[in-house]
């Protein structure tokens, strides 16, 4: 079972942002920016391009809603998206607020936030989703 499946099941804590029947979103614990969010399919598949066509399309549409909400919470030019997948073998899309290309450079040092900062960010995004 992947660490992300454990998160979906609630066996490992996370800062949840959104969930529906098939998809789940939560804050990346080692973020490149405030609001850096991971969007995942609940069905555990390692490689994003092994997802079924409808699952991949649904993941992107779910990510779109989350990105629009993040934009309202974090000041940025765009929400950048990235797929790396070298660390966790459970397909996921990174949504990252960016102002310049360097903001989505995964080789940069990650940011540190307190638990309450993470919680506040997740709650703010969740609230925006509720307003959509
Ligand atoms: P990658 O598979 O290369 O896309 O990287 C996996 C991403 O998942 C990294 O950005 C990690 O910071 C993030 N990550 C790993 N474990 C957790 C966790 N328990 N909660 C939140 N994010 C995580």
């Amino acid at each position: 079972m992947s660490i992300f499946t454990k998160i979906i099941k609630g066996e490992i804590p996370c800062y949840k942002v959104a969930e529906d029947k098939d998809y789940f979103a939560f804050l990346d614990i080692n973020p490149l920016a405030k609001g850096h969010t991971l969007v995942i399919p609940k069905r555990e598949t390692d490689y994003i391009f092994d997802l079924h066509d409808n699952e991949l399309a649904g993941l992107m549409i779910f990510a779109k809603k989350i990105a629009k909400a993040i934009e309202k919470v974090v000041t940025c030019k765009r929400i950048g998206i990235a797929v790396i997948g070298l660390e966790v073998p459970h397909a996921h899309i990174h949504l990252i607020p960016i102002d310049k290309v360097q903001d989505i450079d995964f080789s940069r040092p990650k940011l540190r936030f307190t638990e309450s900062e993470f919680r506040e960010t997740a709650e703010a995004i969740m609230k925006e989703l509720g307003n959509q």
Side-chain angles (χ1 to χ4, degrees):
M1 196 192 295
S2 78
I3 186 168
F4 289 173
T5 297
K6 288 183 181 162
I7 285 176
I8 294 164
K9 286 173 179 281
E11 292 172 14
I12 290 178
C14 75
Y15 301 98
K16 182 168 134 181
V17 164
E19 176 176 15
D20 73 4
K21 187 168 68 63
D22 298 314
Y23 307 102
F24 195 94
F26 56 103
L27 297 183
D28 193 305
I29 206 72
N30 295 304
L32 281 172
K34 180 184 170 186
H36 181 165
T37 299
L38 301 176
V39 184
I40 64 177
K42 288 189 174 175
R43 194 177 74 89
E44 187 178 321
T45 301
D46 175 358
Y47 187 36
I48 194 161
F49 294 128
D50 285 333
L51 293 176
H52 301 315
D53 289 356
N54 62 334
E55 215 177 3
L56 179 60
L59 181 67
M60 195 57 89
I61 291 162
F62 188 74
K64 176 181 169 180
K65 280 185 278 193
I66 314 283
K68 295 281 181 190
I70 299 171
E71 277 172 19
K72 299 255 166 53
V73 171
V74 182
T75 308
C76 62
K77 277 198 178 147
R78 292 272 162 131
I79 302 300
I81 75 169
V83 175
I84 314 292
L86 291 173
E87 190 186 312
V88 177
H90 186 140
H92 52 280
I93 293 176
H94 294 260
L95 298 179
I96 305 170
I98 53 170
D99 291 315
K100 53 190 185 309
V101 71
Q102 289 83 357
D103 295 339
I104 200 162
D105 176 354
F106 279 79
S107 63
R108 290 183 78 180
K110 305 301 183 294
L111 303 181
R112 290 194 170 272
F113 295 111
T114 64
E115 265 190 55
S116 59
E117 286 170 332
F118 272 119
R119 204 172 325 108
E120 275 170 30
T121 303
E123 281 169 6
I125 297 168
M126 217 182 248
K127 189 164 164 242
E128 280 303 330
L129 282 166
N131 293 338
Q132 275 182 10

